[in-house]
Amino acid sequence: MAMPKKRVAVLISGRGSNMASLIEAAKDDGYPAEIALVVSNRREAAGLGQARAQGITTAVIDHAQFGKDREAFERALQDVLTAHGIDLVCLAGFMRLLTPWFVGQWQGRMLNIHPALLPAFKGLHTHERALAAGAKTHGATVHFVSPEMDSGPIIAQAEVPVLPGDTPETLAARVLEAEHRIYPQALRQVAEGRA
Ligand code: GRF
């Protein structure tokens, strides 16, 4: 008998191309997860419109409304996730640091995609930094979220070459293709309990 699909929330702040790759993968009947909800902390995130156009429920929880009260923002987020019966959370270009409390609520059930071969180049501006460091290869990592940023257990990685003449933009585009490949694969693994 087929297992019930895991209900996934994708958290975004902007463009949402990784969100789109997860939505696309989840259209397959055999995929073990469904994208039940897309949440953005920014009302103007381009990904929200794309999700709605695909008939996916969206929510906006504007962090600015909570001022400096990070935990109040996260409690509102947690309430929405609970109300939608979410099993797994995928961060996809979600630009908020999360508190240990929230991370603890989702331990082993929250994934992030990072545009570098972790543990190299944690944090922002990874493509600029990889070029500045003269890296020969670069790539993307999907990992479980742990309280320390970009440091949780790795689920999947993809390596891409750094080519002569690369700019941060050309390199980012090559890495992004890899991201769109590995995020759906990693979510599948987690949803099937194989991670
Ligand atoms: C991606 O490069 C992702 O790895 C990073 O932020 C970017 C988000 O892009 N965390 P998108 O919104 O998924 O298009």
Side-chain angles (χ1 to χ4, degrees), residues 137-155:
T137 62
H138 188 40
T141 303
V142 181
H143 63 95
F144 284 113
V145 177
S146 65
E148 203 188 327
M149 187 185 65
D150 299 331
S151 299
I154 290 172
I155 304 162

Side-chain angles (χ1 to χ4, degrees), residues 61-100:
I61 302 171
D62 180 359
H63 65 271
Q65 283 182 353
F66 298 89
K68 286 197 183 345
D69 193 346
R70 223 174 252 283
E71 290 187 11
F73 164 72
E74 291 180 349
R75 280 195 300 276
L77 178 56
Q78 181 71 7
D79 286 349
V80 170
L81 298 174
T82 306
H84 286 85
I86 296 303
D87 302 305
L88 299 170
V89 172
C90 288
L91 307 182
F94 183 68
M95 303 302 285
R96 300 299 296 169
L97 291 175
L98 296 166
T99 67

